Amino acid sequence: MLNLILAGVGGQGTVLASKLLAQAAINRGLDVRTAETIGMAQRGGSVTSHVRIGQDLYSPLVALDTADIILGMEPSEALRCLPYLKKGGSIVVSSKFIKPFTASLPGSTYEENLIWQCLGDHCKNISVIDGGKICDACGSTKVLNIALLGAASNLRQLNLTLVDLEKAVQEILPQKIHSINLQALNLGAQSARKGETAL
Amino acid sequence: MKQLLMGNEAIGLAAIQAGVNLVSGYPGTPSTEVLETVAKQNDGSIYVEWSTNEKSALEVAAGAAIAGARVMVTMKQVGLNVASDPLMSLAYLGIKGAMVVVVADDPGPISSQTEQDTRHFAEYAKLPVFDPSSPEEAYRMIRDAFDLSQKYHTPVLFRPTTRVCHACASVEVKEEKIEHKPQGFVKDAKWVIFPRLTYQNHIQIEKNLRLIAEDFNQYDGNQITETAPNTKKGVACGGISYAYVKEALNRAQTHVRLLKIGTPHPFPEELALQFMEGLYEILVVEELDPVIEKALLLVAGKHHIKINILGKLDGSMKNAGENSLESVLTAIEDFLELPKTKYEPIELPPLPVRPPVLCVGCPHRASFYAVKKAMKGQKAVFCGDIGCYTLGNAQPLDMVDTCLCMGAGITIAQGLQHIEPDAVHFAFIGDSTFFHTGIPGVINAVYNQTDLVLVILDNSTTAMTGHQPHPGTGKTMMNTVSPKIDLEKLLLALGVQSVKKVNPFDLTNAITCVKEAAQTKGVAAIIFEAPCISLFKPEKKYQISDSCTSCQRCIKELGCPAISKDSISNKVVIDQSLCYGCSLCAQICPAKAIVIGGDKSC
Ligand code: SF4
Ligand code: SF4
C-alpha cells in the first residue's frame, strides 16, 4: 500500500497531478483511491490531494503519520502537510514560494528559512526541485506539477516509472500539450537524479 | 474494465446505464458533477437541464416520471429544502416510471450553510434512501435505486456525502445499458392529489415501507461484513464512516462484528436483530444525525434486548462536523480498549495563511467598492446572498453584513428596513441566485412598498459551483441557445422604481448610480454588469510606475491578490502574471501611479 499527499496552492495543478498518478497506477492494474481537500477557495487557497494505491483500501483520505511521500508544489504547503508523513517518508518539493494573496495585509508573516529548517528537521529524504528553472526551460509556468511527478519517479517507494507517468500524461492531457509536459516530466526526473539543489 | 471515476461521475454514468430518460437539477457543491457527467456523456437520447431552482427541477422530473420515464434529479442538501414541497406531495401521489433524487449531504460542513441529514428527510417524507460508502458502491446502488423506485412507484432518495461525491476510485465499469422507453402519460384520476386520495395512498405507503424494509433485510448494501466470535462488542456504521471503520480495524489489527447500513430508511430491522444477537455493547459510527443509532435503539426497545448502544446520543461520538480516519480510530480504540495510537505533535513555524478571497480582477470587488464609497459616512446595511460574492465579507472590503440562504438577502433587507427605517438597506445577489429564488422577494418589496436598493451582480455565469449556464446566459445543457432573460425589462415589469445598468469598473459612474439609488423611494435596482474573469482572457496588464508614493491605498482598500508590497524592495508591485487588467486600482490611486504595462506575454 502506498500513500501520497500532494500539496499545493489553487491553480498549480495539484489535482491534475493526482489524476495522472492514479491513472498510471490503474494502468499497472493497481487499485486507487483519491480525494481532495480544497474548501471554498477557487484560486490561491491551499489544496491537498490524497492518493492511495494498493489492495484493501477503504478510505479515500490518507491518515496522519502514514504518507510515504509528500509532493509539495510549494514549500510552505509541503510543510503544512508534514503531519501526514510517516517516519522515514520522503518529500519532493519545489523550491519556489508562493506569496499568499493576503501577504500585504497585517498578521500574515512567515519566514522562509524557518520553513526549510522545519522540513529538514523532520524529513531526511528531501529532494528540492528548482521548478522555476524547469518551467523556464519548457516555456510555461503550468508544468511545475508535471516536473514534480518526474522527480518523484526516482523514488523507489513510488513503484511507478517515468515510462508509466509518460503514458498517463499521453492518455489524460490533450495532444497539443503532450510534448511540453513530457519534457517537464523528464527534466524533473533528471534534476532529482542529479540532486542539484539538495538542501 | 476499471476506470478512474469520481463518485459523482460514477453516479452519472450508472444513471445513463440504468436507462435514465431525463435528468434535471440545480448546481450545488458537492452534487454538481452528477448532472454534468450525464450531459457530457449524453448520446442525445437523454433530456438534461439545469433548472432555475430545485423545486422546478423536481417538478419537471415529476412530470416526466408520471409519464413513465426514468428520471433523476440532482441537488445539494439545502436544495432539498427548496424542493421539499413537491417532493413531500409526490411521495403520496407516486410515480409511474422511476425517480431517483440525488441529494448530496455535506458533513463538516465544507461548503454549505447547514449540517442537515437527508436520511432524516427520507423518514419524514416516507421515502426509501440509499447511502453509498464509496464511489464503487454508488455506481452499483444507482441501478438498485431505479429498480426499487419502479417496483414501488415511489421516488427514492440517494444520499452520498462529500467524501463519496468527490473521492475518486478505480471502478469496475459495465458496458451494458438498459433501454427504457416511457409509456407516455395516461389520464387518470390518480394523478390529481385530493385529501381522500392522500388518505388512501398513505395506507399503501405504510404497507410498502414494510415490504421495502423486508427487501432491505436481504439487500447486499446492508450487511454484517465482519464477524468476531470472541467479542461481545459490535460496531454499526454507514456511508463513508464504513470506510473509516474498516481502515481503523485494519490498522488496529483486530476484528469485531460489523454492521454496515446502506439503506437507513426503511431500516432493515431483521438484519439489525441478527447483528445484535449476543452482543452487549454497540458503537455506532455515522456522520450528521444519529439516524442508525436511533433505529438500533428502537429495535432494541421493541424487542426488549438488553444492550448498550453508544454513539452521538450518549456523547461517545461528536455530534457536529465530519468524521475522520483519526477520530474513528480513536473511537474504536476506546471502545475496544486497545492501546492508543499516538500522534506526536509537530511544532510548525508560522505558515502563510491562504483564506478564500475574491479572484484578481473580479467584478464583484469593483461593485462592492463602489457601494462602499457611495455610502461612506451613511447608515447602511449590506445583505448578502449565496455565491462567490459572499467572499465580499472579507477584509478589506467587509461588505457582507448578513447571509442566510438562497435569495434571502432581498427579503432580510426588507425586514431590517421595517425596524430601522433610517438606514439604507442593500441586497446583493448574483444573477443565478436571482433567478433561483430572488424574484418573489422583489415582488414582495414592490407590493409592500418597502425601500430597498437591489444590487444584482450579473457576471453571466454560476461561478461558485464551476460555471453552469442559467436563464440569463441563453445557453442550455442540451447545447441549444435560448433567448436570454433580460433582467432590466424583468425588473421594470415587476414595478421596480428605477433600474440602472452599470459597468462596475466605470467607478465614478457606478458611485453616482449607487448614490442616486440610495435616495430613491421604493425599490431601486442597479445591475452591475461585467463578466466573471473565468469567461475571458486579460487584454492588458497594469504596472506601478515610479510616481508611486507607497501610500498603500490600493492594497488596503481593494485587496486585489495581484497587488502586494515586495518584502525586499519595500515597493508596492503588481504581479504581472496575475493581473487581469480590470483597472480598478488605477482608478483609485491618488498619485495616478498605476498605468497600463507593456508586457502582455504573461
Ligand atoms: S495607491 Fe498608488 S501611490 Fe498608493 S501604493 Fe498604490 S500605486 Fe502606490
Ligand atoms: S488592474 Fe489592478 S485591481 Fe485590476 S486585476 Fe490588475 S492589479 Fe488587480
Side-chain angles (χ1 to χ4, degrees):
Chain A
M1 186 208 300
L2 180 72
N3 290 329
L4 291 112
I5 293 281
L6 288 80
V9 175
Q12 284 192 304
T14 310
V15 177
L16 177 64
S18 71
K19 285 239 152 68
L20 290 165
L21 280 171
Q23 189 59 46
I26 288 182
N27 289 345
R28 281 284 209 82
L30 301 165
D31 276 334
V32 187
R33 288 193 186 279
T34 76
E36 282 90 43
T37 52
I38 301 184
M40 288 229 313
Q42 299 205 310
R43 291 179 187 208
S46 301
V47 178
T48 310
S49 266
H50 297 230
V51 178
R52 311 190 64 211
I53 302 172
Q55 299 307 312
D56 256 342
L57 302 176
Y58 293 92
S59 161
L61 295 167
V62 173
L64 294 176
D65 256 345
T66 63
D68 300 277
I69 301 170
I70 292 178
L71 278 188
M73 315 279 154
E74 202 267 0
S76 66
E77 293 309 315
L79 184 57
R80 208 188 297 279
C81 290
L82 193 64
Y84 285 105
L85 195 69
K86 72 177 186 196
K87 281 215 168 52
S90 305
I91 298 178
V92 177
V93 59
S94 163
S95 57
K96 194 177 165 222
F97 279 85
I98 295 184
K99 257 194 278 174
F101 289 166
T102 48
S104 299
L105 296 170
S108 48
T109 43
Y110 61 94
E111 277 179 53
E112 299 187 355
N113 55 0
L114 288 183
I115 288 174
W116 284 121
Q117 200 185 342
C118 187
L119 277 172
D121 284 349
H122 288 93
C123 176
K124 295 298 154 230
N125 323 312
I126 304 187
S127 357
V128 183
I129 304 299
D130 188 343
K133 206 164 113 191
I134 298 177
C135 288
D136 287 347
C138 298
S140 163
T141 53
K142 300 239 168 83
V143 295
L144 178 77
N145 54 348
I146 309 295
L148 277 165
L149 285 184
S153 71
N154 293 320
L155 295 174
R156 220 176 317 117
Q157 303 110 291
L158 186 68
N159 256 329
L160 295 169
T161 63
L162 196 55
V163 178
D164 291 329
L165 293 170
E166 283 177 346
K167 194 163 163 247
V169 162
Q170 282 161 337
E171 275 174 26
I172 288 190
L173 299 182
Q175 168 116 45
K176 63 173 195 265
I177 54 168
H178 280 177
S179 69
I180 180 172
N181 281 290
L182 292 177
Q183 187 187 0
L185 204 57
N186 280 282
L187 287 175
Q190 283 163 26
S191 84
R193 235 172 271 145
K194 275 191 255 157
E196 57 183 21
T197 43
L199 274 180
Chain B
M1 191 192 62
K2 284 208 172 169
Q3 221 176 311
L4 183 68
L5 290 180
M6 186 197 270
N8 282 345
E9 291 172 327
I11 293 170
L13 195 63
I16 295 177
Q17 292 173 338
V20 75
N21 305 110
L22 176 145
V23 182
S24 55
Y26 187 81
T29 311
S31 69
T32 311
E33 299 83 1
V34 175
L35 187 143
E36 287 178 330
T37 301
V38 179
K40 230 180 277 164
Q41 314 237 355
N42 189 1
D43 61 2
S45 64
I46 306 168
Y47 175 77
V48 188
E49 74 166 40
W50 281 131
S51 310
T52 50
N53 61 38
E54 294 85 355
K55 174 172 151 69
S56 306
L58 200 122
E59 289 158 351
V60 167
I66 64 177
R70 285 199 151 196
V71 301
M72 179 165 75
V73 192
T74 76
M75 64 194 69
K76 67 182 296 179
Q77 89 284 40
V78 287
L80 183 57
N81 302 336
V82 179
S84 67
D85 193 8
L87 186 58
M88 291 298 293
S89 303
L90 192 63
Y92 285 86
L93 193 69
I95 50 168
K96 190 158 80 182
M99 178 189 244
V100 175
V101 184
V102 177
V103 182
D105 279 353
D106 184 22
I110 298 170
S111 49
S112 303
Q113 62 269 39
T114 71
E115 279 204 290
Q116 65 193 69
D117 194 322
T118 299
R119 297 175 302 166
H120 255 331
F121 192 97
E123 210 178 315
Y124 178 53
K126 307 185 187 301
L127 297 174
V129 60
F130 288 76
D131 183 13
S133 65
S134 66
E136 298 95 309
E137 193 174 30
Y139 178 79
R140 288 194 305 269
M141 272 187 171
I142 280 284
R143 183 166 298 191
D144 303 331
F146 273 104
D147 291 347
L148 187 85
S149 171
Q150 189 141 1
K151 181 171 171 195
Y152 290 99
H153 307 292
T154 175
V156 167
L157 284 163
F158 193 90
R159 167 230 56 159
T161 56
T162 308
R163 298 293 178 206
V164 173
C165 291
H166 283 173
C168 296
S170 32
V171 180
E172 188 71 52
V173 176
K174 287 185 243 147
E175 292 298 326
E176 98 250 35
K177 176 181 175 226
I178 296 173
E179 295 295 339
H180 177 79
K181 213 173 152 355
Q183 243 178 19
F185 182 61
V186 182
K187 292 191 186 187
D188 189 320
K190 73 175 182 183
W191 301 126
V192 184
I193 201 158
F194 271 113
R196 178 152 180 82
L197 180 72
T198 298
Y199 169 73
Q200 281 165 351
N201 287 0
H202 189 179
I203 296 171
Q204 189 59 43
I205 289 168
E206 298 297 343
K207 269 190 202 149
N208 284 354
L209 282 173
R210 274 196 292 277
L211 295 174
I212 296 171
E214 275 168 32
D215 289 357
F216 282 171
N217 282 321
Q218 313 298 326
Y219 181 53
D220 66 3
N222 299 316
Q223 265 187 38
I224 298 169
T225 65
E226 276 191 32
T227 49
N230 302 327
T231 93
K232 297 232 158 262
K233 293 188 176 191
V235 175
C237 54
I240 192 69
S241 296
Y242 175 68
Y244 299 153
V245 169
K246 285 291 279 182
E247 207 75 52
L249 293 174
N250 276 355
R251 245 182 113 178
Q253 294 182 338
T254 184
H255 292 280
V256 285
R257 198 183 300 173
L258 179 59
L259 175 69
K260 171 189 169 296
I261 295 294
T263 62
H265 184 260
F267 196 70
E269 188 174 322
E270 282 302 320
L271 183 72
L273 278 173
Q274 271 175 45
F275 167 69
M276 285 193 215
E277 175 85 51
L279 296 182
Y280 82 85
E281 198 161 61
I282 295 174
L283 177 70
V284 187
V285 186
E286 60 191 320
E287 286 176 323
L288 303 174
D289 294 336
V291 171
I292 298 174
E293 187 180 347
K294 280 186 180 167
L296 289 173
L297 280 167
L298 201 73
V299 175
K302 195 169 147 190
H303 296 270
H304 309 289
I305 300 170
K306 201 167 172 302
I307 193 164
N308 282 335
I309 298 181
L310 311 179
K312 290 169 186 270
L313 294 172
D314 73 321
S316 297
M317 301 298 290
K318 61 176 185 165
N319 46 26
E322 63 171 338
N323 286 336
S324 65
L325 273 168
E326 292 79 17
S327 71
V328 171
L329 180 61
T330 309
I332 297 265
E333 285 169 346
D334 274 345
F335 178 62
L336 298 177
E337 292 162 60
L338 300 169
K340 282 271 177 56
T341 305
K342 283 208 184 63
Y343 298 102
E344 274 170 45
I346 302 178
E347 217 173 292
L348 299 180
L351 292 173
V353 278
R354 304 186 197 274
V357 289
L358 290 171
C359 297
V360 266
C362 174
H364 300 331
R365 180 176 291 107
S367 304
F368 283 128
Y369 187 73
V371 176
K372 188 172 187 171
K373 281 280 127 174
M375 297 315 292
K376 198 168 176 203
Q378 290 185 58
K379 194 168 171 192
V381 181
F382 308 111
C383 298
D385 222 299
I386 308 279
C388 285
Y389 46 97
T390 316
L391 298 177
N393 77 325
Q395 294 297 342
L397 289 169
D398 187 17
M399 282 293 286
V400 178
D401 296 325
T402 72
C403 180
L404 182 69
C405 64
M406 294 285 282
I410 295 175
T411 19
I412 294 247
Q414 295 166 39
L416 289 167
Q417 173 71 22
H418 295 307
I419 303 303
E420 273 195 336
D422 59 325
V424 184
H425 290 93
F426 285 80
F428 291 91
I429 188 165
D431 42 356
S432 183
T433 309
F434 182 70
F435 290 119
H436 180 274
T437 31
I439 298 170
V442 178
I443 298 174
N444 192 61
V446 172
Y447 165 55
N448 292 302
Q449 297 169 33
T450 310
D451 295 343
L452 167 75
V453 183
L454 171 68
V455 180
I456 300 187
L457 303 166
D458 182 0
N459 64 356
S460 309
T461 188
T462 316
M464 190 90 195
T465 47
H467 308 288
Q468 290 73 29
H470 62 66
T473 68
K475 291 194 200 85
T476 73
M477 287 312 266
M478 297 301 285
N479 288 320
T480 56
V481 179
S482 56
K484 292 184 194 183
I485 290 179
D486 187 326
L487 283 173
E488 192 177 11
K489 280 195 197 148
L490 172 71
L491 291 167
L492 288 171
L494 295 182
V496 169
Q497 282 300 320
S498 78
V499 184
K500 286 261 165 60
K501 248 196 219 178
V502 197
N503 177 350
F505 291 118
D506 181 354
L507 193 60
T508 320
N509 185 26
I511 294 175
T512 313
C513 286
V514 175
K515 282 186 177 156
E516 279 170 20
Q519 300 292 329
T520 309
K521 280 260 148 240
V523 183
I526 300 170
I527 305 168
F528 278 127
E529 249 183 353
C532 172
I533 61 154
S534 61
L535 301 176
F536 66 97
K537 289 238 165 338
E539 284 166 4
K540 50 185 192 263
K541 309 260 168 180
Y542 282 80
Q543 283 177 354
I544 299 186
S545 73
D546 292 341
S547 27
C548 170
T549 60
S550 291
C551 72
Q552 294 197 41
R553 185 164 165 190
C554 50
I555 291 177
K556 289 191 182 131
E557 295 199 358
L558 296 182
C560 170
I563 317 176
S564 63
K565 201 165 128 213
D566 192 281
S567 49
I568 302 161
S569 67
N570 248 338
K571 275 190 181 161
V572 177
V573 289
I574 292 178
D575 184 330
Q576 293 299 294
S577 66
L578 291 176
C579 174
Y580 236 77
C582 77
S583 83
L584 189 62
C585 56
Q587 293 181 56
I588 71 151
C589 170
K592 297 266 167 286
I594 306 183
V595 291
I596 296 177
D599 182 14
K600 289 187 190 168
S601 62
C602 21

